[in-house]
Amino acid sequence: MAADGRLLASGGATQLEGSAGGGIVPWAVLAGYATRDEIGATSYLTRVEVSDYALDSWGAALNIRNRLELSLSRQRFHLGTLGDLLGMPGASIRQNALGIKLRVSGDVIYSTWPQIAVGAQLKKNLDFSIPSAAGARRDSGTDLYVAATKVFLGAAGGYHLLVNTTLRSSSANQLGILGFGGDRGGRRLLGEFSAAVLPDPTLAIGFEYRQKPDNLGFAREDAFSDLFVAWFPNKRFSAVAAYADLGSVASFGNQRGWYLSVQANL
């Protein structure tokens, strides 16, 4: 197991469903710092707290020779205010996510063209009674995506600039926490975007945006966005703090709050 071959921060952080990237968007980078001759592993823990809800996500990923990423994660969505209204204080909804990502071409830093990766996230909702009552059609689904990521050296006033674009096909309601599909539709093609400036080799400051399917008639589903600061003191540890705007979630609007994630690399 090795993690000394690639540049600091080149593996990104871990997003909510366990894939390498930003906080809410998977990038074309693979987890950790393994090169083409190495195998690396990462683990992460994330907490998001907004006005009426909270979300915990944790898991691990394996990087095989900087070509293939395998990840496994769990999300626990705390119902908060909604749980109290339903007479279920302290209730939560759990989901498992299995991820696979293949680097198709390019390198995020050294190639002229962006690094390109394709991926899939296979999700299984473990507490489907509430999503079913809300109109969700299925308790499982698969997100498919293609991501392109490029670091432009010195492009932002002399600082490095990272840009990522992801195109996702998904039927997941609120990441799958509220099931898959609904009375307003099913699988949709969605756009996601990330950009960050690196004022220091150990620091990245940026923002992200992620479209959502909006399949449930009982409650509007808005896009996710965040403003983040990521810290990479060394190749063994990283941390991300963010201000998150999740829009309307399960009939409660203006869900804004904080995001904190830590990651360890082997």
Side-chain angles (χ1 to χ4, degrees):
M1 307 292 284
D4 296 322
R6 291 162 52 197
L7 294 182
L8 189 65
S10 61
T14 304
Q15 57 96 214
L16 287 172
E17 292 121 312
S19 302
I24 59 176
V25 176
W27 300 349
V29 301
L30 304 189
Y33 293 95
T35 68
R36 64 182 180 180
D37 300 318
E38 300 170 338
I39 296 175
T42 65
S43 60
Y44 81 99
L45 175 63
T46 296
R47 174 79 173 187
V48 185
E49 287 201 12
V50 292
S51 306
D52 295 286
Y53 302 104
L55 175 68
D56 293 315
S57 180
W58 65 93
L62 190 67
N63 180 337
I64 302 173
R65 302 184 185 278
N66 198 27
R67 177 63 63 180
L68 179 68
E69 174 189 285
L70 302 173
S71 62
L72 182 64
S73 67
R74 170 166 287 187
Q75 294 78 47
R76 182 186 291 272
F77 180 70
H78 303 275
L79 292 177
T81 302
L82 179 60
D84 294 339
L85 291 175
L86 294 174
M88 304 168 60
S92 62
I93 299 175
R94 299 164 300 157
Q95 174 178 261
N96 288 338
L98 173 65
I100 181 169
K101 184 194 300 185
L102 177 68
R103 182 172 65 86
V104 176
S105 64
D107 182 272
V108 68
I109 296 174
Y110 297 112
S111 63
T112 302
W113 295 99
Q115 181 166 317
I116 307 294
V118 295
Q121 295 172 336
L122 292 75
K123 304 175 183 180
K124 173 68 173 180
N125 191 295
L126 304 179
D127 301 289
F128 190 58
S129 58
I130 292 177
S132 177
R137 303 301 190 197
R138 298 176 304 281
D139 66 354
S140 62
T142 300
D143 288 8
L144 305 172
Y145 65 89
V146 57
T149 309
K150 178 62 179 171
V151 172
F152 298 93
L153 299 178
Y159 300 118
H160 304 331
L161 173 67
L162 180 145
V163 177
N164 175 85
T165 301
T166 299
L167 188 64
R168 179 190 299 261
S169 172
S170 176
S171 63
N173 308 319
Q174 301 294 358
L175 310 181
I177 297 296
L178 293 183
F180 301 82
D183 56 290
R184 296 183 58 182
R187 184 168 294 276
R188 301 172 189 263
L189 198 60
L190 308 163
E192 306 174 10
F193 181 77
S194 306
V197 174
L198 284 73
D200 181 270
T202 65
L203 197 65
I205 301 172
F207 73 95
E208 298 182 287
Y209 175 84
R210 174 172 174 173
Q211 288 184 323
K212 310 291 289 310
D214 196 19
N215 291 325
L216 298 177
F218 97 101
R220 184 180 76 253
E221 183 173 355
D222 294 330
F224 283 176
S225 61
D226 68 35
L227 299 172
F228 69 86
V229 177
W231 181 47
F232 304 90
N234 53 58
K235 291 186 178 182
R236 300 297 182 186
F237 174 82
S238 63
V240 180
Y243 169 77
D245 185 349
L246 308 186
S248 180
V249 178
S251 77
F252 288 85
N254 301 315
Q255 296 301 304
R256 302 184 181 99
W258 58 268
Y259 171 110
L260 180 63
S261 182
V262 294
Q263 176 175 302
N265 305 311
L266 297 177

